Amino acid sequence: QSTKSKAYVCGYYSQEIASDKAYYAKADDGRTIIGWIYICHKCLRPTFFDDSEKQTPGSKFGDNIESLPDDVEKLYDEARDAYGVSAFTSTVMCCRKILMHVAVSEGAEENLNFTEYVDYLSDESIVPKATKKWIDKIRTMGNNANHEIVVNTRLYDEEIISFVEMLLKLVYEYPSRIKSESSKDESSEGE
């Protein structure tokens, strides 16, 4: 039924929308609303909000990125999906694995240890040297998530995904864009 409009980022569509159509559920007392299901007007899929405003599926954090290799794209999507369901430790571990895949896709040998992948990214100038501290932060957080009794949080994951997003844009999306623009320029010169 029609209800008060709610703005949210659709967990499927990954864009901010506002919907005024929802189903709701009441508690046993028949008065207290304990949850709403809003329907995205773009993708027509349902999103559930409980009485504490927790969203399921949660919204993904980070932008879509163009021109990623398939394996890197799958891991990046997996990291964003993990974030969307509040699986913050899994998010960090995926981001750590992304760095390994980026290094290999850019020429590093397989089966190196993580430090060697990090060094390769920096030594080969695949990433700016100033980002080495961020890469080391991902390494440390990933190691802690894997080997220590720690639970990651939303705040750290947003920082990590933001860094990985920037890295992936620098390594894949922006070079692809400039290559595409150069091709357009060359074809227009021939006219």
Side-chain angles (χ1 to χ4, degrees):
Q1 69 181 33
S2 292
T3 186
K4 179 180 153 190
S5 183
K6 179 165 190 64
Y8 64 96
V9 176
C10 175
Y12 303 99
Y13 182 63
S14 296
Q15 297 291 321
E16 186 167 355
I17 64 148
S19 181
D20 65 350
K21 303 284 187 243
Y23 298 92
Y24 62 88
K26 291 185 178 181
D28 290 339
D29 66 13
R31 295 181 304 241
T32 308
I33 297 177
I34 58 171
W36 296 261
I37 297 175
Y38 283 86
I39 308 299
C40 174
H41 61 276
K42 295 286 189 176
C43 71
L44 304 177
R45 293 183 178 157
T47 299
F48 174 74
F49 290 89
D50 66 14
D51 56 352
S52 68
E53 292 291 312
K54 182 178 179 188
Q55 177 181 333
T56 306
S59 59
K60 295 179 181 182
F61 185 79
D63 293 339
N64 292 325
I65 301 174
E66 298 174 18
S67 304
L68 294 177
D70 288 341
D71 60 332
V72 174
E73 182 175 23
K74 286 176 185 172
L75 283 169
Y76 180 64
D77 287 344
E78 186 175 331
R80 293 177 68 213
D81 287 341
Y83 175 90
V85 297
S86 301
F88 303 124
T89 302
S90 297
T91 303
V92 170
M93 293 176 78
C94 278
C95 288
R96 184 180 189 275
K97 193 164 181 70
I98 286 170
L99 297 179
M100 295 167 58
H101 281 255
V102 170
V104 170
S105 81
E106 292 300 306
E109 294 179 27
E110 292 186 30
N111 301 317
L112 300 177
N113 67 47
F114 189 75
T115 303
E116 291 172 311
Y117 287 126
V118 168
D119 290 343
Y120 183 86
L121 290 171
S122 183
D123 294 346
E124 297 297 318
S125 300
I126 294 163
V127 298
K129 291 199 186 288
T131 63
K132 183 136 184 194
K133 288 182 182 180
W134 272 100
I135 293 172
D136 196 51
K137 184 174 185 174
I138 293 173
R139 179 189 61 78
T140 302
M141 291 179 72
N143 282 346
N144 290 343
N146 200 29
H147 301 294
E148 305 293 329
I149 308 296
V150 295
V151 178
N152 288 70
T153 64
R154 181 178 302 273
L155 177 62
Y156 281 122
D157 280 16
E158 288 178 2
E159 287 180 358
I160 297 299
I161 290 175
S162 293
F163 170 74
V164 168
E165 176 185 320
M166 181 267 310
L167 174 81
L168 295 176
K169 285 181 177 184
L170 284 173
V171 175
Y172 300 109
E173 184 173 307
Y174 296 139
S176 175
R177 283 186 184 182
I178 196 70
K179 186 177 180 181
S180 176
E181 288 299 315
S182 296
S183 296
K184 287 179 189 175
D185 292 344
E186 289 172 11
S187 65
S188 68
E189 287 175 10
E191 294 176 1

